[in-house]
Amino acid sequence: RELLVKGAREQLSEIRREVDEFDGLRKGAIPIAPIGSIEELPLALIRARIARGWTQARLAEELGVPEQQVQRDEANAYRSASLERLRRIADALGCRFRGVLEPTSGRRIR
């Protein structure tokens, strides 16, 4: 029983953190920080949508796709989205990509 209660408290705490983040993004209290890697891009796009005050339906309308497509994309962290689609989403949200592609090893890229 104690383990169930502990698990439920942890879940409630996580939900509260997510709601606080959502509210902070909507109010502009939490900035959308620059991303440091391509893996951070999906969450940054979701956060940008929330910060802009758009629903998934609004983003879908801007992109000309069914709302279910945006729901699936976000639920799957844009795993199956092409780079072109990610660019279109960023454009629709008024975001742009900037940065440097750097080699992780000592080898030079030609």
Side-chain angles (χ1 to χ4, degrees):
R1 179 173 175 217
E2 288 178 28
L3 287 175
L4 288 175
V5 170
K6 182 181 177 188
R9 283 188 179 137
E10 289 173 359
Q11 284 180 332
L12 181 58
S13 178
E14 178 63 25
I15 291 169
R16 283 185 177 139
R17 277 192 300 276
E18 289 177 5
V19 168
D20 288 346
E21 179 182 20
F22 180 86
D23 288 342
L25 285 166
R26 290 292 304 259
K27 293 175 184 172
I30 298 174
I32 302 171
I35 61 172
S37 69
I38 194 91
E39 289 84 12
E40 297 171 1
L41 180 58
L43 181 57
L45 289 173
I46 293 168
R47 292 179 73 171
R49 177 186 58 76
I50 293 167
R52 187 163 176 106
W54 285 9
T55 62
Q56 291 175 332
R58 172 68 192 278
L59 178 57
E61 181 181 313
E62 290 292 321
L63 296 171
V65 300
E67 180 180 358
Q68 293 79 11
Q69 179 66 51
V70 174
Q71 290 170 345
R72 277 191 305 273
D73 282 344
E74 290 190 1
N76 293 316
Y78 289 104
R79 276 189 283 278
S80 62
S82 67
L83 285 175
E84 175 59 21
R85 190 156 85 218
L86 294 173
R87 187 199 57 77
R88 285 187 58 231
I89 293 164
D91 285 349
L93 293 169
C95 297
R96 64 181 173 168
F97 295 110
R98 292 189 307 181
V100 177
L101 180 66
E102 299 174 332
T104 57
S105 68
R107 295 177 52 194
R108 292 182 60 183
I109 298 176
R110 298 177 198 216

